[in-house]
Amino acid sequence: MNITTDTNTGINIHLEVPDPAAAEATYAAAFGLGDKLSFRAAQEPATGFRGFMLSLVVAQPSTVDSLVGSALAVGFTMLKPAKKSFWGYGAVIQAPDGTIWKVTSSNKKDTGPATREVDDVVLLLGVDDVKASKQFYVDRGLTVAKSFGGKYVEFASPKSAVKLAMYPRKAAAKDAGVAVDGTGSHQIVIGGNAGSFVDPDGFVWEGTVD
């Protein structure tokens, strides 16, 4: 998956998949995210947990149910059924290409008519050491928006359609409902103004030109 960051156009997500045309049709039917998603042919294999998850944040439980239902209808599988929790209401599903998606709302009850509107898309990186990774990214110019010690960090992205956050890899796998083990490529590249580098957990960034 290639994610290109630009302060004017925001973040574009390019998933690496076996069949780009089929994936484009599947995701359009599942979520309708439009130009927030595009696709390219996968080049490197990966098995097990890839170390990241994409999260769709929505307004209410009926929207969660609607998006999960349409995704399951086009071949996604359920990892964690939708349910209420301390934090709200949500479910975790996995796309046919293997990408894990969390669909969640901070509300436990509907507050208006049902919609399919997505408020935020969040890229959640699972890392070995949140504090070290946070400092690594800060040193490369990213600004912290939220930080909870070694448990969670979210970076500021006021002009981006996609937010970047990180938490411990084991917590990410538990949140996703999968085993923590994984081999091969992360199958994700993050492109942005921070430059070209590989972070402490092997996530690759490619510099872009404004």
Side-chain angles (χ1 to χ4, degrees):
M1 186 173 71
N2 182 306
I3 296 184
T4 303
T5 305
D6 180 89
T7 55
N8 296 314
T9 61
I11 293 175
N12 299 311
I13 300 174
H14 308 276
L15 293 174
E16 289 189 341
V17 297
D19 185 335
E24 183 174 7
T26 296
Y27 277 99
F31 301 139
L33 294 177
D35 60 7
K36 292 185 179 69
L37 282 178
S38 61
F39 307 89
R40 68 180 186 182
Q43 300 297 318
E44 299 182 40
T47 63
F49 183 46
R50 298 179 189 172
F52 74 92
M53 180 165 52
L54 285 161
S55 177
L56 302 180
V57 182
V58 303
Q60 57 189 11
S62 63
T63 305
V64 172
D65 292 338
S66 178
L67 292 171
V68 169
S70 60
L72 294 177
V74 292
F76 283 61
T77 56
M78 186 74 76
L79 294 178
K80 283 189 173 182
K83 67 177 183 179
K84 293 180 181 178
S85 69
F86 178 79
W87 300 106
Y89 181 85
V92 180
I93 53 181
Q94 189 167 29
D97 63 86
T99 304
I100 297 173
W101 292 80
K102 183 178 182 179
V103 188
T104 185
S105 172
S106 60
N107 292 316
K108 298 179 184 180
K109 295 182 179 180
D110 290 338
T111 56
T115 75
R116 288 177 57 80
E117 182 176 354
V118 174
D119 296 330
D120 290 303
V121 181
V122 185
L123 169 62
L124 297 164
L125 302 181
V127 303
D128 287 335
D129 187 328
V130 171
K131 291 182 179 179
S133 292
K134 168 188 169 183
Q135 188 60 52
F136 180 90
Y137 278 95
V138 168
D139 290 343
R140 279 150 185 81
L142 278 72
T143 301
V144 174
K146 299 178 182 178
S147 180
F148 301 94
K151 295 182 178 181
Y152 179 82
V153 174
E154 184 178 303
F155 295 96
S157 52
K159 296 182 180 180
S160 176
V162 179
K163 295 181 178 180
L164 176 66
M166 60 178 60
Y167 54 161
R169 180 183 172 93
K170 288 183 179 180
K174 182 178 180 180
D175 194 16
V178 298
V180 71
D181 297 328
T183 62
S185 169
H186 285 299
Q187 295 192 327
I188 180 172
V189 174
I190 308 169
N193 299 330
S196 298
F197 57 85
V198 178
D199 83 358
D201 295 275
F203 291 101
V204 177
W205 283 66
E206 293 179 352
T208 60
V209 178
D210 291 336

